[in-house]
Amino acid sequence: MDHTEETLIVIGAGHAGVELAFAARQQGWAGPIVLLGEEPHLPYHRPPLSKAFLCGTADAASLALRQATAFDTAAITLRLGTKVRAIDRAAHEVLLADGSALAYTRLALCTGGRARALDVPGLEGAPPPNLFSLRTQADALAIAGAVREGARVVIIGAGYVGLEVAASARKLGAGVTVLESQPRVLARVTGATLSSFYESVHREAGVDLRTNASVRAIERDATGAVSAVLCGDGERLPADVVIVGIGMLADTALAEAAGLRVEGGIVVDAHSLTSDPHIVAAGDCTVHDSALYGRRVRLESVPNALEQARSAAGWLCGKPRPNHAVPWFWSDQYDLKLQMTGLADGHDQCVVRGSFVDHSFCAFYLREGRLIAVDAVNRPADFMLAKKAVAAGVQADPRALADTGIPLKELLATAAPA
Ligand SMILES: Cc1cc2nc3c(=O)[nH]c(=O)nc-3n(C[C@H](O)[C@H](O)[C@H](O)COP(=O)(O)OP(=O)(O)OC[C@H]3O[C@@H](n4cnc5c(N)ncnc54)[C@H](O)[C@@H]3O)c2cc1C
């Protein structure tokens, strides 16, 4: 076969899809590359949607992942507003919503995820105009239009997105209540120490933060808008705006319908290869077995989307580059730049270095003396060191870790790999 005619089709023009298309071109894919994206906008950075974009300090143009000309220069055909309806694996074709079909030699699924919907009484029928979730630029624009000074905003869910929106809404002068059904915020992603720090920061900023707080129903007025959130304990919270931040679901519909292996996400290996040797997948839509953690993981982060995309491109171009990256993530709330590396669940010890009061510290998570994860708040230099130490799986002395008199560089450099 003439390799210059081999076509790579990428479905989903988010962080993973864009990176995969460019990396494939860079690593030597010679034939056509077609990037199909359902959203109408030039592919954009998603993280600022809950932060600078929501606060109005970043505009839509500044969100672009790449300028339009970069796609032309790399000879990547970007088709926006184009939804893929189905994959015909036998015919090696993708079927578009407009009824047309495109043939592929290799296919990449980078379909990301969708916000999980709230399912409580009161939400039957047409969605209320003042109830939002946040996944897309269109969602963020709608929320920004509704969250005004003095508005009563109720946020359901205290994960990263919920808490970042709470911080942004406070900056905009709204009154904010956050309802979290778990006993602590960020329960799914970090340890209790960090949760309690973030709870106190939000309360100091004026957020009415309630844990162990369930939502029983949504009350609507005659126009269909939400008028109040009814809580499990019987309280009625009047609301002008409700934002639901209860996580995301991997967008696996196409993969499932095509008969690929899907288990809460499209199952991929370290090369981002799916159960079909002609199809790779990367980003939030995937799950993989982590050699590092010895279990199945699904990561929702930009760094993971980029790593998996690069591994997929390497595989497609005959230059394998397995992904064994340690997960990492960041979150911006108020003046706090949080950077996290590793996965903290399963830790048996948490050591804090630095000061909560000064908003500058690291939380080190250890299992049997081995460093498995670190959360760094306003400590970018420590974070860089910690990332390497977690990747190396060093054994670290808890007392020394807590002692700010001992430079971290010295400590982690001398710590023994496990
Ligand atoms: C508000 C918010 C804040 C975040 N903040 C951070 C942060 O601070 N740090 C961090 O690391 N991560 C953050 N994340 C997570 C991060 O944005 C995701 O991990 C990342 O976007 C994943 O990239 P992706 O390409 O896998 O998926 P996505 O970015 O979801 O892109 C998938 C794209 O595929 C398209 N698509 C889906 N199905 C089809 C189809 N059938 N046909 C055509 N197109 C299709 C979708 O429209 C979408 O544009 C945040 C996420 C949100 C929502």
Side-chain angles (χ1 to χ4, degrees), residues 11-17 36-39 46-47 49-51 82-84 110-114 134-135 161 164 251 254 282-284 300-303 305 329-331:
I11 306 176
H15 289 272
L36 305 171
E38 182 179 358
E39 293 184 68
R46 225 168 267 285
L49 297 182
S50 48
K51 315 173 181 85
T82 303
K83 183 177 169 73
V84 175
C110 301
T111 47
R114 285 168 199 274
L134 177 51
R135 181 75 195 175
V161 170
E164 288 179 355
D251 204 332
L254 284 176
D284 283 13
E300 298 165 23
S301 75
V302 170
F329 188 82
W330 77 91
S331 173

Side-chain angles (χ1 to χ4, degrees), residues 53-84:
F53 187 71
L54 194 54
C55 293
T57 53
D59 62 9
S62 71
L63 297 186
L65 283 172
R66 308 255 181 168
Q67 296 309 309
T69 48
F71 293 90
D72 298 337
T73 308
I76 294 166
T77 305
L78 175 62
R79 292 183 56 178
L80 299 173
T82 303
K83 183 177 169 73
V84 175

Side-chain angles (χ1 to χ4, degrees), residues 42-386:
L42 199 59
Y44 61 89
H45 288 275
R46 225 168 267 285
L49 297 182
S50 48
K51 315 173 181 85
F53 187 71
L54 194 54
C55 293
T57 53
D59 62 9
S62 71
L63 297 186
L65 283 172
R66 308 255 181 168
Q67 296 309 309
T69 48
F71 293 90
D72 298 337
T73 308
I76 294 166
T77 305
L78 175 62
R79 292 183 56 178
L80 299 173
T82 303
K83 183 177 169 73
V84 175
R85 195 166 43 81
I87 301 164
D88 183 339
R89 286 166 61 201
H92 275 214
E93 280 183 350
V94 297
L95 310 174
L96 306 186
D98 67 5
S100 62
L102 293 175
Y104 66 82
T105 315
R106 292 287 185 276
L107 181 65
L109 294 176
C110 301
T111 47
R114 285 168 199 274
R116 187 191 291 273
L118 183 67
D119 183 15
V120 294
L123 289 177
E124 305 80 8
N130 57 345
L131 181 135
F132 307 94
S133 55
L134 177 51
R135 181 75 195 175
T136 65
Q137 198 178 127
D139 295 335
L141 274 174
I143 294 171
V147 175
R148 307 194 176 287
E149 192 167 357
R152 295 164 301 178
V153 176
V154 176
I155 298 171
I156 300 171
Y160 284 118
V161 170
L163 291 184
E164 288 179 355
V165 171
S168 298
R170 284 300 296 145
K171 267 192 202 165
L172 292 168
V176 179
T177 303
V178 176
L179 303 176
E180 168 56 55
S181 61
Q182 297 291 311
R184 61 185 177 91
V185 305
L186 301 174
R188 197 169 59 84
V189 288
T190 193
T193 306
L194 207 78
S195 298
S196 72
F197 172 72
Y198 272 91
E199 285 164 12
S200 62
V201 169
H202 277 276
R203 287 186 177 124
E204 276 163 27
V207 173
D208 179 359
L209 175 65
R210 305 176 183 198
T211 51
N212 292 311
S214 63
V215 173
R216 185 168 53 79
I218 294 293
E219 178 192 281
R220 297 167 81 163
D221 65 18
T223 70
V226 177
S227 44
V229 174
L230 306 180
C231 301
D233 64 2
E235 188 170 349
R236 176 182 178 277
L237 286 174
D240 302 309
V241 180
V242 175
I243 299 161
V244 179
I246 54 173
M248 64 141 255
L249 298 170
D251 204 332
T252 57
L254 284 176
E256 259 174 281
L260 293 178
R261 193 167 156 219
V262 173
E263 291 165 12
I266 305 168
V267 180
V268 295
D269 66 10
H271 300 285
S272 302
L273 191 62
T274 68
S275 54
D276 180 326
H278 296 99
I279 305 180
V280 291
D284 283 13
C285 63
T286 68
V287 291
H288 67 277
D289 291 322
S290 164
L292 192 66
Y293 293 97
R295 63 181 168 83
R296 175 70 52 85
V297 296
R298 186 164 71 75
L299 302 171
E300 298 165 23
S301 75
V302 170
N304 175 64
L306 300 181
E307 289 292 344
Q308 286 191 317
R310 290 170 195 147
S311 293
W315 175 261
L316 292 169
C317 297
K319 295 174 185 167
R321 176 195 179 283
N323 170 27
H324 297 303
V326 176
W328 73 275
F329 188 82
W330 77 91
S331 173
D332 299 326
Q333 298 167 44
Y334 309 107
D335 64 337
L336 307 173
K337 172 112 201 141
L338 167 66
Q339 294 166 293
M340 322 171 73
T341 182
L343 300 178
D345 50 328
H347 71 276
D348 51 34
Q349 199 172 6
C350 175
V351 179
V352 174
R353 176 187 181 88
S355 155
F356 283 4
V357 177
D358 297 340
H359 286 190
S360 171
F361 65 91
C362 288
F364 295 92
Y365 300 93
L366 303 158
R367 184 167 57 217
E368 292 167 6
R370 190 170 74 90
L371 195 57
I372 58 166
V374 179
D375 297 334
V377 172
N378 292 338
R379 294 220 176 196
D382 284 0
F383 175 72
M384 294 315 288
L385 292 168

Side-chain angles (χ1 to χ4, degrees), residues 353 385 405-415:
R353 176 187 181 88
L385 292 168
I406 308 172
L408 197 58
K409 195 169 182 178
E410 210 172 278
L411 188 63
L412 294 180
T414 53

